[in-house]
Amino acid sequence: MVFLSGVLGASLFALASILGGLQIEGYSTVSQYISESFATGLPNTGYLRLMYVIGGFLLFIFGVMAPTVLPKSKILKIGFLLFAIFYGLGTITVALFPCDFGCPSDIENLSLSQFIHNIVGFFTYLITPLGMIATGVASRKWHYLNGLSKVSLICGVIALTFVFFLFTDSTGPYIGLFQRIIECNILFWVVYTAFFSRVSKYQVR
């Protein structure tokens, strides 16, 4: 279940983000948010939102179940639960409450959907890398988790670094690029951990 939910959840998220950009003429993956590809007012976005909802649910399951195939550790469990709540459920929430057309940053004219979208997105990107870093720190205790520890720390730190860039220049020309670097590091960590879970149960704990 950990393997399937992780790989399928990450794949659905990645596929939805690619398809969303391809169906909009002139869409830029460098300067536009992923959310702009399924914003309110755009046609043919229902299937994209559904893909994000299903992907988010699978990623939530992954975050909840991953600690069951790893050594017992409170920090490890907290790290994965933070991921499950803020990234898994967060993905579902931003899909159900899409941003307004163009994802405007004008606070005075935000719709309720845009407001919820922004708040959830903020905490998702702030907390998720911290959860990944927490799993990396906790994993250092066991030698056979050395690979997981390194990947978690590297991906978490890179993601957090670009979260800082994104938050400090949320309307700049490279927001799409920054966001995709964040997402790539998170999803790579998910897939790596999912494959790692396939062999971890055979290790001596």
Side-chain angles (χ1 to χ4, degrees):
M1 183 177 292
V2 176
F3 174 76
L4 289 177
S5 61
V7 173
L8 291 178
S11 299
L12 272 176
F13 188 104
L15 182 60
S17 64
I18 293 172
L19 292 176
L22 291 176
Q23 73 177 19
I24 301 175
E25 185 177 354
Y27 179 85
S28 172
T29 57
V30 173
S31 62
Q32 291 181 270
Y33 288 115
I34 295 173
S35 298
E36 292 185 58
S37 65
F38 61 94
T40 301
L42 288 175
N44 303 320
T45 58
Y47 79 98
L48 291 174
R49 294 174 191 169
L50 180 60
M51 290 175 70
Y52 283 118
V53 168
I54 297 174
F57 176 74
L58 290 171
L59 291 170
F60 172 77
I61 296 298
F62 164 81
V64 171
M65 296 300 298
T68 65
V69 297
L70 296 172
K72 291 183 178 180
S73 166
K74 289 184 178 179
I75 298 178
L76 200 62
K77 187 174 183 179
I78 290 172
F80 278 106
L81 286 179
L82 287 175
F83 172 84
I85 294 169
F86 287 94
Y87 196 83
L89 296 184
T91 298
I92 295 174
T93 305
V94 297
L96 295 177
F97 296 92
C99 68
D100 300 334
F101 182 77
C103 293
S105 58
D106 185 3
I107 299 177
E108 296 181 356
N109 297 316
L110 296 183
S111 67
L112 177 61
S113 181
Q114 174 82 65
F115 177 76
I116 294 173
H117 189 96
N118 287 355
I119 293 297
V120 173
F122 173 81
F123 283 105
T124 294
Y125 282 154
L126 180 64
I127 302 298
T128 300
L130 295 178
M132 295 163 61
I133 292 172
T135 63
V137 172
S139 299
R140 297 176 66 181
K141 183 178 178 181
W142 294 273
H143 71 278
Y144 80 92
L145 297 183
N146 186 52
L148 178 62
S149 177
K150 289 181 179 179
V151 171
S152 299
L153 289 171
I154 292 172
C155 290
V157 169
I158 292 175
L160 192 60
T161 300
F162 280 91
V163 166
F164 173 78
F165 292 155
L166 184 65
F167 285 175
T168 54
D169 190 19
S170 60
T171 59
Y174 302 109
I175 55 175
L177 177 62
F178 294 161
Q179 185 184 30
R180 283 163 176 80
I181 292 175
I182 296 167
E183 295 290 356
C184 283
N185 277 276
I186 294 173
L187 296 179
F188 175 82
W189 173 77
V190 170
V191 173
Y192 179 90
T193 306
F195 274 92
F196 184 87
S197 72
R198 297 278 289 177
V199 299
S200 64
K201 62 184 178 180
Y202 301 113
Q203 303 292 337
V204 178
R205 301 181 183 181

